[in-house]
Amino acid sequence: MDNPFKQRLKEARKNSNLTQAQLAQKLEVSKTMVSEYESNASSKAPSLNTLIKICRILNVSSDYLLGLSNDNTIIQMELRGLSDEQSQPLIQIMSMIEQLNELKEKEDNNN
């Protein structure tokens, strides 16, 4: 069975507009390590703790990264069963909260 982790990690990182270096900094690992996580030529895989951090940073589920689900975001998994009309306002609110948290984090880093 093909392991989708490496491709899905790269895709999720790019969707989050992060470079390998930026993700590495947030994970507190080297850029080389992130590169190895994404490289088909490498057998490197993140530890469980690092996988959890990746999921939180990229807002994806571990099930998605590991190929157990095609729902690529935690939000999608939590909103199953709701119609698009019902879930859209919730997704917008969650996105605004995420943006506010990012601004707060940047502000805290500058102080």
Side-chain angles (χ1 to χ4, degrees), residues 13 20 23-24 27 29-38:
R13 176 183 56 77
Q20 287 181 341
L23 179 57
L27 293 172
V29 300
S30 68
K31 178 193 172 292
T32 302
M33 187 63 69
V34 171
S35 177
E36 289 182 7
Y37 293 159
E38 293 181 359

Side-chain angles (χ1 to χ4, degrees), residues 25-56:
Q25 182 179 15
K26 289 177 180 284
L27 293 172
E28 299 175 349
V29 300
S30 68
K31 178 193 172 292
T32 302
M33 187 63 69
V34 171
S35 177
E36 289 182 7
Y37 293 159
E38 293 181 359
S39 171
N40 288 325
S42 173
S43 62
K44 290 279 186 192
S47 67
L48 179 58
N49 287 336
T50 301
L51 177 61
I52 291 167
K53 286 181 183 179
I54 289 169
C55 292
R56 288 181 178 153

